[in-house]
Amino acid sequence: MAGGAVANAGAGGFSHLIDPRRTWYNNRRLIALNGWIVLFLITASTNGYDGSMMNGLQSVTQWAEYFDHPSGGKLGLLNAIQHIGSLAAYPFAPYVSDGIGRRRTIALGAFLMLVATAIQTAAQSVGMFIGARFLIGFGLTFAGNSAPMLVTEISYPTYRAPLTSAYNSLWYSGAIIAAWTTYGTFKINNTWSWRVPSALQALPSLFQVVLIWWAPESPRWLVSKGREEEALEVLAYYHADGNRDDPLVQFEIQEIKAAIDFDRNVAANVGWKALIKTVGNRKRMNIIIAIAFFSQWSGNGIASYYLNKILTAIDITDSTTQLLINGILQIWNLAWALLASFLVDRAGRRLLFLLSSVGMFIFFSAQTVCFGVFSEKGTPGAAHGLLAFMFLFYAAYDIAFSPLIVSYTVEILPYPLRAKGLTVFSFTLSLALIFNQYVNPVALDNIGWKYYIVYVVWLFCECVFLFFFVVETKSLSLEETAALFDGPDAARELQANAQTEAGLSPKEKVSQKHSLDEVVSPDLHKS
């Protein structure tokens, strides 16, 4: 099917270049492209599997006995060591992603995780188990750095935001498999009750190592390496049924070239110092670091890693019940996260962030009250209320912090800073996780429900920050979104260069100028 410059409202500066006949369900090459994107997306499933597995294993008697009933700091280390492994890989990940390409970096990370899960499954001591989890985190950093960038850089324009948002949402797909696997194996009366869940963690990585060599590489990475013909071929094959002269493909390739040239030669976006060199980049890093902390310091880390402690504290001590609640919670999370992923272009990023933060504040405050009443008076209704508000809290969390934290990060960063900026995001997130995983079990053991008050105060601060600093980015292309932070003049210059190189008519240029003017607010760029 040949592409055509057909009007399609709501897709931003390239809206009239989108062929409405080319959709994800009726175009074979888009179906193939989205199939490859699913292969990249399951990187998040490995991460989600790990967190949920460790949560579930704490309710598995055979695991607890084999490792001498870990608690306090030792239990915190068992959970945190994966993120310590991630920290060790962060200095190398952006250079590998930008050096050998997104695809090969995912393969490298997947291979390391395959080796690590084999060691974890065969663990004969707590030291061996911890070492394997360190290597899982080390490999996950490489795959996790490249996968979301490859998704956002290769997606068809109208599907970019939902697909990139689905990346972090699919954390819960892995969490669901882990939760129900531990539920299914915990009654095995030997060490296979925890070795089977450990072994199954390797499946996403196995698929990636075997299949990724036939997947397409990022056109933006190819252009950055001077391989423009290959980039054009990838865009034409998947976005226009092989038509290299399709107006959309020509606009995309010229915009990519203009953006990379602008960032290299005008904005000087090279090296780590560039992350804080300009007002626009400082705005980006301010938001990126904040949402990384918020994603882990919103109270979600308690139930995500220590659900059994909370349930035990409200007299739900049966292992079967605990594992069942964990499994149902993960399905609930996935449903809300995926729903929000497909609403990001309709509702907008800013509205979802604000609804999420206010909802979390309300429902976590309610959890705190219920937990306090049960702890002080032992009222059964308060325990039931805590469970109900926990599920509502996660629904609020999932409408923004599951789908948006990764997709929003990669879309506001210009190409030369994308790998480094995503590394800063991941590094910050890991620091927040390590702190949580050490502090949460100790704090819960010592001050119980009163620890929840800390998060209530913090959530109020999150609401204030997000109201004043989150920028709306819907209806913009990837390059236009990145240019948004550098001011309206930079965005218009980038688009004008792409239009000229793509050979658009004056009428088409005027149409795109009006579209961009509608979404770029001059007040946004005051320093």
Side-chain angles (χ1 to χ4, degrees):
M1 182 190 301
V6 182
N8 180 33
F14 48 84
S15 61
H16 67 300
L17 302 177
I18 299 292
D19 183 351
R21 298 169 297 173
R22 185 180 290 120
T23 62
W24 65 269
Y25 57 83
N26 70 2
N27 185 278
R28 288 185 298 174
R29 295 193 181 182
L30 276 185
I31 293 171
L33 175 61
N34 291 338
W36 290 124
I37 287 173
V38 169
L39 184 68
F40 311 145
L41 291 175
I42 62 174
T43 302
S45 300
T46 304
N47 195 10
Y49 189 102
D50 185 85
S52 182
M53 182 191 73
M54 288 305 299
N55 206 346
L57 290 183
Q58 292 171 54
S59 297
V60 176
T61 303
Q62 293 82 0
W63 180 84
E65 290 177 350
Y66 196 85
F67 294 113
D68 196 25
H69 298 279
S71 61
K74 186 178 181 181
L75 179 60
L77 178 61
L78 279 164
N79 274 313
I81 192 63
Q82 185 227 35
H83 303 290
I84 295 173
S86 294
L87 288 177
Y90 285 140
F92 313 106
Y95 295 105
V96 176
S97 292
D98 286 343
I100 67 174
R102 315 309 199 203
R103 191 178 56 175
R104 290 178 180 175
T105 304
I106 294 173
L108 171 63
F111 176 76
L112 290 174
M113 287 187 284
L114 274 179
V115 173
T117 50
I119 297 172
Q120 179 178 265
T121 303
Q124 301 297 309
S125 65
V126 69
M128 190 173 175
F129 194 84
I130 288 173
R133 290 185 48 70
F134 177 93
L135 187 56
I136 288 172
F138 192 84
L140 183 61
T141 292
F142 290 100
N145 183 264
S146 279
M149 292 192 294
L150 184 50
V151 171
T152 202
E153 290 170 3
I154 203 169
S155 295
Y156 192 67
T158 52
Y159 303 129
R160 176 181 58 80
L163 286 171
T164 311
S165 298
Y167 174 80
N168 206 52
S169 299
L170 288 178
W171 190 96
Y172 292 116
S173 65
I176 288 170
I177 296 171
W180 289 102
T181 299
T182 52
Y183 180 77
T185 63
F186 85 101
K187 289 186 178 180
I188 298 175
N189 199 26
N190 54 53
T191 60
W192 284 105
S193 60
W194 58 267
R195 294 189 194 275
V196 169
S198 294
L200 289 178
Q201 188 173 0
L203 282 180
S205 299
L206 180 62
F207 286 130
Q208 289 179 327
V209 167
V210 172
L211 298 175
I212 203 165
W213 309 107
W214 291 274
E217 181 55 273
S218 163
R220 288 161 177 84
W221 181 79
L222 292 169
V223 170
S224 74
K225 298 300 180 182
R227 296 158 63 178
E228 295 175 6
E229 282 298 308
E230 293 178 57
L232 179 59
E233 186 64 30
V234 170
L235 289 171
Y237 184 87
Y238 287 106
H239 291 190
D241 298 308
N243 182 6
R244 295 163 66 98
D245 296 320
D246 182 90
L248 174 63
V249 169
Q250 283 299 312
F251 182 78
E252 285 184 293
I253 191 68
Q254 298 305 334
E255 190 175 42
I256 292 169
K257 289 162 63 176
I260 292 176
D261 182 69
F262 175 85
D263 287 313
R264 281 176 175 169
N265 301 318
V266 179
N269 276 333
V270 289
W272 291 95
K273 288 183 180 179
L275 291 173
I276 57 173
K277 188 173 183 179
T278 67
V279 172
N281 286 348
R282 288 194 292 274
K283 287 179 181 177
R284 292 181 175 102
M285 299 314 300
N286 183 32
I287 295 171
I288 288 169
I289 291 172
I291 63 174
F293 273 114
F294 295 168
S295 71
Q296 302 304 321
W297 282 8
S298 296
N300 55 302
I302 297 177
S304 292
Y305 289 92
Y306 302 105
L307 179 62
N308 73 309
K309 280 186 170 292
I310 303 303
L311 296 178
T312 300
I314 58 174
D315 286 348
I316 300 176
T317 56
D318 179 65
S319 293
T320 302
T321 305
Q322 288 186 352
L323 289 167
L324 187 62
I325 291 172
N326 184 35
I328 294 171
L329 181 60
Q330 304 313 326
I331 295 174
W332 171 265
N333 284 330
L334 179 64
W336 281 100
L338 288 179
L339 174 65
S341 297
F342 294 101
L343 290 176
V344 292
D345 275 339
R346 293 186 180 184
R349 286 65 156 163
R350 178 176 169 81
L351 177 61
L352 290 178
F353 269 122
L354 294 179
L355 287 175
S356 177
S357 59
V358 172
M360 286 193 296
F361 173 73
I362 293 171
F363 296 131
F364 200 84
S365 298
Q367 281 189 73
T368 304
V369 172
C370 291
F371 201 0
V373 170
F374 182 85
S375 298
E376 299 298 326
K377 299 181 180 180
T379 307
H384 300 154
L386 188 150
L387 270 180
F389 285 121
M390 180 189 298
F391 275 76
L392 290 173
F393 166 83
Y394 270 102
Y397 178 91
D398 291 330
I399 64 174
F401 284 89
S402 288
L404 287 178
I405 56 171
V406 172
S407 63
Y408 192 72
T409 295
V410 296
E411 74 180 6
I412 68 175
L413 287 164
Y415 175 82
L417 294 182
R418 197 164 289 147
K420 293 182 177 67
L422 186 59
T423 297
V424 171
F425 165 84
S426 301
F427 179 82
T428 305
L429 188 146
S430 290
L431 284 180
L433 271 170
I434 291 169
F435 175 86
N436 265 2
Q437 289 166 347
Y438 270 117
V439 172
N440 283 344
V442 176
L444 287 170
D445 286 342
N446 286 280
I447 60 177
W449 72 270
K450 293 176 181 148
Y451 183 50
Y452 273 45
I453 297 173
V454 175
Y455 285 111
V456 172
V457 176
W458 180 258
L459 281 165
F460 177 78
C461 297
E462 287 186 17
C463 293
V464 174
F465 179 93
L466 293 170
F467 179 81
F468 285 106
F469 290 98
V470 168
V471 176
E472 185 54 73
T473 60
K474 72 174 181 177
S475 300
L476 292 174
S477 73
L478 198 58
E479 279 66 38
E480 289 164 351
T481 296
L484 182 65
F485 284 79
D486 299 310
D489 291 340
R492 292 189 183 98
E493 179 183 347
L494 172 62
Q495 192 176 73
N497 290 341
Q499 290 167 347
T500 300
E501 293 296 328
L504 298 184
S505 68
K507 183 178 179 179
E508 291 171 324
K509 291 182 181 181
V510 170
S511 172
Q512 290 198 14
K513 180 181 184 298
H514 289 165
S515 178
L516 185 61
D517 288 342
E518 289 174 0
V519 293
V520 177
S521 171
D523 292 338
L524 180 66
H525 310 288
K526 294 178 181 177
S527 58

